[in-house]
């Protein structure tokens, strides 16, 4: 891919202080985009922006809780004030609680829905207006292989990721005429703080590896590569799709 495929573009990445979101932010910046690093903790976001600037890029750190609609509206406003527009939204923020459904506290069910689904939808809602008037946009939703198949003790998480795959298709239909592409990436098992605990357990890790034809746990950069492609014009004729990046998990 052209090294400066995103030159002149402005991207917002949610949940970008660590893990997959951070790798996406660094990659989009490396490809030339100005990147808004948005997450719950502003100091962590500032550290990511420092890395971006250290590599010669441009970024903006924002405190953003995507369960708070006012904060989303504020983040969109601040991005436009600083960079003038929004070309790319990467809806990456997400949470996982693993528990049997009948034992799961209802407040946890509400929380997963509020972050993974409602928050993601509201981020899209509030950037779409500007994208429509610019007649340009790329929205990339970070789903999961758990949106296609069941994943142990993760009923609500699976439900939210399946819903993201579904809304990705509908929004592609709704927004195609404005030259806004809407796609998703479905990661498999990726080494990040989200799943650090069970990767530290050698037995669990070995059981996961058996299911991965590529023979390794994924890296955040594997997901960032896919997002960079879907955020660029090299994927102009792809919309409504979900790109599975799982080392082959779903083929087994
Ligand atoms: N790691 C995996 O194996 C894996 C697999 C499939 C999908 N995913 C998805 O990838 C995305 C990134 O996950 P990760 O593995 O990097 O996890 P992570 O926990 O390391 O990162 C998630 C980020 O989202 C942020 N976040 C949580 N709630 C938020 C909120 N209300 N507002 C804004 N930000 C919030 C967190 O602060 C954190 O920085 C998630 O959507 C996750 O569901 C991860």
């Amino acid at each position: 891919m052209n090294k400066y495929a995103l030159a002149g573009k402005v991207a917002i990445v949610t949940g970008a202080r660590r893990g997959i979101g951070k790798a996406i932010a660094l990659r989009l910046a490396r490809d030339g985009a100005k990147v808004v690093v948005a997450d719950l903790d502003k100091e962590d976001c500032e550290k990511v922006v420092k890395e971006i600037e250290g590599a010669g890029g441009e970024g903006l750190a924002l405190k953003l809780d995507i369960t708070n609609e006012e904060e989303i509206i504020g983040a969109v406003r601040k991005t436009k004030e600083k960079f003038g527009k929004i070309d790319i939204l990467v809806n990456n923020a997400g949470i996982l609680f693993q528990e049997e459904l009948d034992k799961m506290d209802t407040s946890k069910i509400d929380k997963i829905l509020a972050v993974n689904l409602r928050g993601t939808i509201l981020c899209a809602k509030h950037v779409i207006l500007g994208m429509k008037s610019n007649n340009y946009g790329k929205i990339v939703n970070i789903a999961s292989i758990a949106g296609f198949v069941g994943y142990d003790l993760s009923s609500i998480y699976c439900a939210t990721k399946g819903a993201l795959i579904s809304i990705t298709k509908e929004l592609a239909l709704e927004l195609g005429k404005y030259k806004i592409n809407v796609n998703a990436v479905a990661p498999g098992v990726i080494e990040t703080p989200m799943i650090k605990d069970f990767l530290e357990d050698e037995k669990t890790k070995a059981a996961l590896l058996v299911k991965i034809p590529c023979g390794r746990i994924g890296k955040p950069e594997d997901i960032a590569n896919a997002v960079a492609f879907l955020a660029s014009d090299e994927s102009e004729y792809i919309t409504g799709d979900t790109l599975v990046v799982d080392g082959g998990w779903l083929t087994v």
Side-chain angles (χ1 to χ4, degrees):
M1 204 165 96
N2 173 357
K3 198 172 170 215
Y4 299 107
L6 302 180
K9 302 287 193 262
V10 177
I12 297 183
V13 185
T14 68
R17 74 188 167 106
R18 69 181 197 195
I20 292 171
K22 178 180 174 184
I24 294 169
L26 294 174
R27 172 59 196 264
L28 299 188
R30 199 187 85 193
D31 288 355
K34 294 167 184 160
V35 179
V36 176
V37 177
D39 206 315
L40 298 173
D41 185 309
K42 192 174 175 195
E43 270 182 35
D44 283 351
C45 293
E46 279 163 353
K47 287 181 196 151
V48 178
V49 168
K50 280 230 161 66
E51 274 192 57
I52 287 173
E53 290 171 347
E58 216 178 320
L60 173 68
L62 287 184
K63 193 263 172 194
L64 171 62
D65 177 350
I66 64 165
T67 65
N68 182 330
E69 190 170 16
E70 288 312 310
E71 286 192 21
I72 295 172
I73 293 167
V76 169
R77 194 193 64 245
K78 286 173 198 161
T79 303
K80 287 184 180 162
E81 281 167 8
K82 172 91 176 166
F83 295 129
K85 58 174 182 167
I86 299 165
D87 300 296
I88 299 160
L89 168 67
V90 184
N91 267 321
N92 166 77
I95 56 170
L96 166 71
F97 297 124
Q98 288 189 294
E99 227 169 333
E100 286 168 77
L101 182 57
D102 58 311
K103 305 212 170 65
M104 193 184 282
D105 199 275
T106 303
S107 64
K108 281 190 185 163
I109 295 175
D110 291 342
K111 182 80 183 173
I112 302 176
L113 292 170
V115 178
N116 295 11
L117 194 52
R118 181 178 181 275
T120 299
I121 291 169
L122 290 181
C123 288
K125 174 182 153 104
H126 290 290
V127 301
I128 283 170
L129 188 63
M131 287 180 170
K132 275 183 174 174
S133 53
N134 293 342
N135 222 28
Y136 186 90
K138 307 277 183 188
I139 298 176
V140 184
N141 295 318
I142 304 302
S144 169
I145 51 170
F148 290 105
V149 292
Y151 194 79
D152 212 17
L153 303 177
S154 307
S155 52
I156 310 304
Y157 182 81
C158 290
T160 61
K161 296 302 187 178
L164 288 189
I165 292 165
S166 169
I167 197 172
T168 295
K169 292 181 203 168
E170 196 289 333
L171 283 179
L173 194 64
E174 205 171 299
L175 300 173
K177 60 177 174 289
Y178 302 100
K179 302 205 183 318
I180 301 171
N181 297 58
V182 187
N183 290 293
V185 173
V189 180
I190 309 298
E191 197 157 359
T192 70
M194 179 181 271
I195 60 161
K196 181 173 131 292
D197 288 349
F198 47 88
L199 288 183
E200 270 167 9
D201 182 274
E202 284 307 319
K203 263 196 186 155
T204 310
K205 190 170 175 179
L208 289 171
L209 282 170
V210 168
K211 296 183 173 186
I212 305 173
C214 281
R216 67 168 172 87
I217 303 294
K219 297 177 291 198
E221 292 73 20
D222 294 315
I223 307 307
N225 289 340
V227 172
F229 170 62
L230 292 173
S232 79
D233 289 333
E234 292 185 12
S235 58
E236 194 178 59
Y237 203 54
I238 301 173
T239 196
D241 202 14
T242 296
L243 180 51
V244 176
V245 185
D246 67 347
W249 177 295
L250 287 185
T251 64
V252 177

